[in-house]
């Protein structure tokens, strides 16, 4: 407005449209163009697939990475074999060669065929089948470990564990400078491990140590029947649903305590020494097993099987021992003679001592009769009730006067 009128008139003014209520736009001012981003659906799917694949790769890679503690423990793992999968053991130590084979649940020494001690076998497997080292020694490509320096070439002892899939041999070397440990190595692996001394002690045993010293092993809960036969005594016991029954010579409930004591005595019976083997046809008559003094047939186990024990005559050189054998092996053993005292007992001692409530004799009142051995005693069975038998034998009871006589 301060400009001169002539100057204002010289400046061209934009034309106004009468029909438009808005002021005219500046035609010489250009705004930013509108940009539209169009994403094709195929491109979106490709990017989504790449993202998912990358995430999956990272996740799998992280899962494969072991925990540092687990990685250290794995490096110290010498042997990792489930004990129940082991079917054979071979041990070579300065005390001799021992080979054991499992037949079902029973271990036997090979080639003798003798039953092996399951407790000894469990100890060996416990110490060796899942073995963790205290330390791990590793060499380098340029300086490998000298196996001879650790007593591993040749090895002091060897243990081979056999499964259905493979076999693993453990080499045992010398003791370490620190007492209580030894060097061991798995055959075919370069590392040398330091393990407790008890690993070697478990296998460093003579063959006879692994022989089962018990004539028979019994679990009273799995025994189904026990039959004893002899010239003096014969009886049979059977277990059904946890209850023992005497079926011969009479049928009656059996005393569980007596039966369990009998089975425990039989299970603890140890073989003192091996007398020899019976021939294929008949046992030698010198041990009296051709006509045994007593036989015991035990039915037990899963699957159920019956094993018969035979007891012969007393040994000439030692009258505290008698000859004994099992029906499932040819060996003849010497066992304690007092086993016959426990077996050849009166069957009546095996009958249940407690009578069932239905077996108790009762009076009409429902109370058990009482006895009084004192002479002249009058026994009341109930309030106001007198023994009728005594009244018949002795007559009516005397009337007792309650009056005092003079001078009392």
């Amino acid at each position: 407005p301060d400009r001169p009128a002539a100057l204002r008139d010289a400046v061209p003014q934009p034309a106004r449209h009468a029909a438009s209520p808005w002021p005219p736009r500046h035609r010489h001012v250009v705004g930013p163009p509108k940009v539209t981003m169009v994403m094709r659906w195929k491109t979106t799917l490709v990017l989504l697939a790449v993202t998912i694949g990358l995430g999956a790769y990272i996740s799998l890679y992280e899962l494969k990475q072991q925990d540092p503690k687990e990685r250290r423990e794995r490096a110290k793992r010498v042997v990792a074999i489930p004990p129940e999968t082991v079917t054979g053991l071979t041990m070579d130590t300065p005390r001799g060669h021992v080979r054991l084979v499992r037949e079902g649940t029973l271990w036997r020494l090979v080639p003798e065929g003798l039953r092996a001690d399951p407790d000894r076998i469990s100890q060996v497997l416990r110490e060796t089948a899942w073995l963790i080292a205290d330390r791990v020694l590793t060499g380098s490509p340029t300086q490998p470990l000298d196996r001879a320096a650790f007593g591993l070439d040749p090895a002091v002892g060897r243990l081979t564990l056999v499964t259905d899939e493979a076999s693993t041999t453990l080499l045992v070397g010398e003791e370490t400078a620190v007492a209580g440990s030894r060097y061991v190595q798995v055959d075919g692996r370069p590392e040398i491990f330091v393990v407790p001394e008890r690993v070697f002690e478990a296998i460093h045993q003579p063959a006879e140590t692994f022989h089962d010293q018990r004539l028979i092993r019994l679990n009273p809960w799995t025994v189904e029947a026990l039959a004893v036969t002899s010239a003096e005594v014969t009886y049979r016991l059977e277990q059904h649903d946890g209850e023992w029954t005497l079926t011969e010579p009479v049928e009656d409930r059996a005393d569980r305590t007596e039966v369990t004591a009998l089975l425990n005595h039989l299970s603890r019976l140890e073989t003192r020494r091996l007398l020899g083997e019976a021939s294929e046809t008949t046992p030698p008559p010198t041990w009296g097993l051709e006509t045994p003094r007593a036989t015991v047939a035990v039915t037990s186990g899963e699957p159920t099987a019956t094993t018969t024990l035979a007891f012969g005559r007393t040994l000439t050189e030692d009258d505290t021992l008698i000859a004994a054998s099992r029906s499932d092996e040819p060996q003849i053993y010497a066992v304690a003679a007092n086993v016959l005292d426990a077996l050849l007992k009166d069957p009546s001692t095996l009958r249940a001592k407690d009578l069932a409530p239905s077996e108790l004799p009762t009076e009409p009142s429902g109370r058990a009769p009482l006895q009084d051995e004192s002479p002249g005693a009058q026994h009341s069975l109930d309030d106001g009730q007198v023994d009728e038998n005594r009244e018949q034998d002795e007559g009516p009871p005397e009337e007792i006067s309650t009056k005092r006589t003079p001078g009392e």
Side-chain angles (χ1 to χ4, degrees):
D2 296 336
R3 295 177 180 178
L7 183 59
R8 287 199 309 270
D9 295 338
V11 176
Q13 300 293 324
R16 295 178 180 268
H17 298 276
S20 175
W22 303 102
R25 296 180 61 183
H26 299 282
R27 298 182 183 276
H28 299 285
V29 179
V30 180
K34 293 182 179 180
V35 181
T36 304
M37 301 295 293
V38 180
M39 300 287 291
R40 296 181 180 273
W41 64 271
K42 291 184 178 180
T43 306
T44 304
L45 290 178
V46 170
L47 293 177
L48 180 62
V50 171
T51 303
I52 294 176
L54 183 61
Y57 172 78
I58 294 174
S59 299
L60 291 175
Y61 178 79
E62 291 296 332
L63 289 176
K64 288 182 179 179
Q65 298 300 311
Q66 295 180 351
D67 181 74
K69 181 180 179 181
E70 183 181 351
R71 198 159 50 242
R72 289 192 299 268
E73 291 180 354
R74 189 176 183 85
K76 291 184 177 182
R77 190 177 299 168
V78 185
V79 181
I81 302 176
E84 63 273 10
T85 64
V86 178
T87 58
L89 291 170
T90 302
M91 292 164 279
D92 291 285
T93 66
R95 292 188 176 179
H97 173 81
V98 180
R99 186 181 171 210
L100 299 153
V101 175
R102 180 164 63 87
E103 300 174 356
T105 59
L106 187 66
W107 285 88
R108 289 191 181 275
L109 288 160
V110 178
E112 297 87 352
L114 297 171
R115 288 172 295 106
D117 188 340
D119 297 334
R120 286 281 183 183
I121 304 298
S122 297
Q123 181 184 4
V124 172
L125 295 177
R126 186 169 55 250
E127 297 294 347
T128 60
W130 194 266
L131 181 59
I132 304 297
D134 297 330
R135 291 170 50 207
V136 182
L137 307 178
T138 57
S140 65
T142 57
Q143 292 183 338
L145 296 173
D146 183 8
R147 299 171 67 246
F150 299 95
L152 295 168
D153 190 16
V156 177
R158 297 171 66 96
L159 168 67
T160 300
L161 299 100
V162 180
T163 66
D164 292 336
E165 289 77 20
S167 62
T168 303
T169 299
L170 189 67
L171 308 176
V172 183
E174 297 288 349
E175 292 186 69
T176 63
V178 179
S181 298
R182 274 188 184 269
Y183 299 108
V184 300
Q185 185 181 37
V186 178
D187 194 17
R189 292 174 57 181
E191 311 98 317
I192 294 178
F193 304 93
V194 177
V195 300
E197 173 68 18
R198 63 176 182 269
V199 174
F200 182 64
E201 293 175 351
I203 66 173
H204 190 212
Q205 302 293 336
E208 55 268 21
T209 303
F210 291 93
H211 176 220
D212 193 356
Q213 301 300 319
R214 296 190 187 181
L215 184 62
I216 189 171
R217 289 178 179 264
L218 297 175
N219 181 355
W221 293 102
T222 61
V223 176
E224 297 182 4
L226 175 73
V228 176
T229 304
S230 70
E232 299 92 349
V233 174
T234 297
Y235 59 87
R236 179 179 175 84
L237 295 159
E238 295 182 3
Q239 182 176 204
H240 299 284
D241 299 328
E243 295 293 333
W244 281 99
T245 304
L246 183 67
T247 60
E248 294 180 15
V250 295
E251 188 169 349
D252 194 2
R253 292 185 304 110
D255 190 302
R256 170 173 291 278
T257 302
E258 292 289 341
V259 177
T260 302
L262 177 61
L263 293 176
N264 287 337
H265 186 91
L266 196 61
S267 181
R268 288 193 295 264
L269 183 62
E270 294 187 352
T271 58
R272 300 296 179 85
R273 67 174 185 264
L274 181 65
L275 298 177
E277 293 187 5
S279 63
E280 296 181 357
T281 56
T282 180
T286 54
W287 291 310
L289 292 172
E290 71 284 359
T291 54
R293 181 178 175 186
T295 61
V296 180
V298 182
T299 304
S300 65
E302 294 180 0
T304 303
T306 300
T307 303
T308 301
L309 310 179
F311 298 92
R313 64 181 57 174
T314 304
L315 301 188
T316 305
E317 64 276 16
D318 189 346
D319 59 1
T320 64
L321 301 176
I322 58 173
S325 65
R326 291 171 52 115
S327 59
D328 57 349
E329 57 188 28
Q331 288 77 20
I332 298 176
Y333 308 94
V335 299
N338 59 7
V339 64
L340 295 179
D341 297 333
L343 294 174
L344 305 182
K345 57 170 54 182
D346 187 353
S348 62
T349 62
L350 298 172
R351 302 176 69 176
K353 305 299 188 298
D354 56 327
L355 295 177
S358 60
E359 298 174 348
L360 288 173
T362 58
E363 290 292 321
S365 63
R367 298 181 59 179
L370 304 177
Q371 297 180 356
D372 191 344
E373 302 298 335
S374 58
Q378 178 178 335
H379 200 91
S380 175
L381 299 180
D382 205 342
D383 297 338
Q385 184 178 359
V386 181
D387 192 338
E388 298 177 356
N389 294 331
R390 178 163 298 202
E391 289 181 357
Q392 295 175 0
D393 297 340
E394 302 177 0
E398 297 180 0
E399 184 177 355
I400 301 176
S401 174
T402 58
K403 295 182 180 180
R404 290 180 179 271
T405 58
E408 288 184 351

